[in-house]
Amino acid sequence: MLILSNSDVERLISIGEAIEALRISNREVAEFKYNTRYRLNRSRTNYYLPWQNLGSADAGAADHVVDESDSSIYYNFKSMEGGSPHFGVWALRSSSDLVRLRSGAYGPTHTYMRYGDLPGGKGYSDLIFLYNIHDAQFEAIIQAATLQGIRVAATSALGTDYLCRPDVRRAGLFGSGWQATANLRALLCVRPSIDHVKVFSPNPDNRKRFAARMCKELAIDVQPASSPEEAVRGMEVIYEASSARTPVFDGDLIEEGQHIMSVGAGDEHFERRLIDPKAVARCSIVGVHSLEVKFGLEEIVDCLDEGTLDKNKVVDLPDLVTGKVVPAISDHSISFFKNNVGLGSQFASVGGLVLQKARAQQVGVEVPQKYVSQVMVR
């Protein structure tokens, strides 16, 4: 059994390879979609508990004191699982977090305390467990942070690849955190013609730092936008990758020929509407990562309930990847892709590819199988 770190994952897989692994995964999802005997995914579940700071005796804890009376903090546990026959693994993703639920300048926010803010400065636990579906062995534990960003961004890019014109050059981006970073990298992988980006987030310093860093990394023109309007007007692609819970721009700003993508998925307990339903209602085609999962589709459901969007315009990514649906994308059409939920099959496909490459390159820490498997005594 292998233990693989975030740095291992970063060395082993590129965003382009992840996109292609997810193309394979979505074909598998399409194949199993209507199968009543087998299941490829268990949908993500989120559980919340009230939080109490019990203090920390760790060295340096004084630098990471969290106010125990802060009622905006909750304990959050989430998990999902799924398989990939092609990569030969079943994946379980397990994540233990503290989250802050607050109101900000642009509405409620849901922020993970993963950036050294946990009591005592401790790290959070987010792991992927891989099991071999051929001999039932426990194959790997993979730190999830790097792979998590890759698989989310690769899914966004995959949806964009089917719903966005091929010759776009200007993009607007909402968000300046790790999701925004990963999604911008992936967007350029499927649309390398993009050479100008406007980024907006409520914190001016964050968006300036993000723009400077990505401009240097990607060797394209990345500029901070002073308002949401500046990140929408004249842009051919609009990407939302923020921590907000309410619309990040006015839907009336949308123009013909634009493609919109949002990773702002909610969960069973907290709804998120990152794209104004007025913009969704104007779309000629709406793609979603999964129609099987009932949450994360808030803006779309609003439009369907109000009768402003035809349900026949809403398709899922597996049908786009397999060619069951071939949308007509033009200079006048408006398209929307909602990366509405994470699926275990994503971790199985991308994680399975990482494991294959780790074995081939002899990367990772080995744990003898006798410590993780057993034979029952009759």
Side-chain angles (χ1 to χ4, degrees):
M1 193 270 285
L2 282 181
I3 298 177
L4 297 168
S5 69
N6 286 315
S7 58
D8 292 332
V9 173
E10 192 169 4
R11 293 200 315 270
L12 287 168
I13 191 171
S14 70
I15 189 66
E17 290 173 318
I19 291 170
E20 295 312 311
L22 289 176
R23 230 184 276 272
I24 293 170
S25 176
N26 276 278
R27 293 191 186 105
E28 292 181 323
V29 172
E31 179 184 350
F32 281 82
K33 189 189 297 187
Y34 304 109
N35 194 308
T36 57
R37 184 176 182 183
Y38 305 109
R39 289 189 65 186
L40 207 63
N41 280 290
R42 175 183 65 80
S43 301
R44 186 185 72 199
T45 54
N46 281 268
Y47 297 94
Y48 293 86
L49 290 176
W51 174 80
Q52 181 181 3
N53 184 13
L54 299 180
S56 173
D58 294 350
D63 295 330
H64 300 276
V65 174
V66 184
D67 182 0
E68 64 182 15
S69 64
D70 189 344
S71 61
S72 70
I73 300 176
Y74 296 83
Y75 173 75
N76 170 226
F77 180 84
K78 64 175 174 284
S79 67
M80 63 188 80
E81 57 188 90
S84 172
H86 178 89
F87 291 100
V89 296
W90 185 269
L92 168 65
R93 187 265 182 114
S94 165
S95 181
S96 177
D97 277 297
L98 293 183
V99 298
R100 275 194 176 97
L101 302 175
R102 286 178 168 172
S103 295
Y106 291 85
T109 59
H110 178 291
T111 306
Y112 291 108
M113 296 172 62
R114 298 174 169 181
Y115 307 98
D117 297 327
L118 291 174
K122 296 176 181 177
Y124 73 107
S125 176
D126 193 351
L127 301 170
I128 302 155
F129 304 92
L130 295 184
Y131 301 87
N132 189 305
I133 64 174
H134 304 296
D135 62 9
Q137 295 304 293
F138 188 9
E139 286 251 54
I141 298 174
I142 306 176
Q143 282 188 317
T146 297
L147 196 146
Q148 154 75 351
I150 288 173
R151 65 99 193 173
V152 172
T155 301
S156 303
L158 195 56
T160 293
D161 201 24
Y162 290 97
L163 296 174
C164 178
R165 291 184 288 114
D167 57 346
V168 293
R169 296 186 60 185
R170 300 181 304 278
L173 175 65
F174 288 84
S176 57
W178 65 273
Q179 282 279 25
T181 299
N183 273 270
L184 183 55
R185 290 170 180 157
L187 172 59
L188 264 65
C189 193
V190 296
R191 290 298 180 269
S193 56
I194 292 174
D195 57 14
H196 178 74
V197 176
K198 287 275 192 176
V199 57
F200 179 81
S201 70
N203 186 308
D205 291 335
N206 286 350
R207 64 191 185 230
K208 287 177 183 177
R209 281 194 294 266
F210 178 90
R213 178 166 55 87
M214 299 311 290
C215 185
K216 182 177 180 180
E217 176 188 326
L218 302 173
I220 61 172
D221 182 26
V222 183
Q223 298 180 6
S226 59
S227 67
E229 292 80 3
E230 191 179 346
V232 175
R233 289 198 175 105
M235 300 296 111
E236 296 159 299
V237 181
I238 300 164
Y239 257 43
E240 179 281 316
S242 71
S243 61
R245 301 192 72 85
T246 54
V248 294
F249 62 84
D250 188 336
D252 289 334
L253 295 171
I254 290 299
E255 304 165 2
E256 287 187 351
Q258 289 181 323
H259 168 67
I260 310 163
M261 191 290 304
S262 173
V263 297
D267 62 34
E268 309 95 315
H269 309 282
F270 298 97
E271 294 186 344
R272 298 181 72 187
R273 290 171 175 80
L274 283 301
I275 304 301
D276 191 335
K278 290 184 294 183
V280 179
R282 295 181 56 197
C283 292
S284 56
I285 182 75
V286 173
V288 303
H289 183 204
S290 175
L291 284 171
E292 295 181 82
V293 179
K294 302 307 179 185
F295 55 82
L297 303 172
E298 289 84 356
E299 310 99 322
I300 298 165
V301 171
D302 288 346
C303 293
L304 293 174
D305 288 346
E306 294 169 7
T308 57
L309 180 69
D310 184 344
K311 67 178 181 180
N312 294 317
K313 291 183 178 180
V314 183
V315 301
D316 65 9
L317 187 55
D319 282 349
L320 290 169
V321 169
T322 58
K324 183 177 179 180
V325 176
V326 181
I329 304 299
S330 71
D331 292 345
H332 303 290
S333 61
I334 300 171
S335 60
F336 174 39
F337 181 70
K338 182 67 182 286
N339 193 349
N340 68 304
V341 71
L343 296 177
S345 55
Q346 294 173 296
F347 290 101
S349 57
V350 180
L353 178 59
V354 167
L355 178 60
Q356 287 180 3
K357 299 188 75 173
R359 294 245 184 252
Q361 299 178 33
Q362 296 184 319
V363 173
V365 177
E366 291 188 1
V367 175
Q369 199 67 23
K370 65 180 181 180
Y371 293 117
V372 293
S373 66
Q374 60 247 291
V375 176
M376 293 292 289
V377 177
R378 296 182 185 277

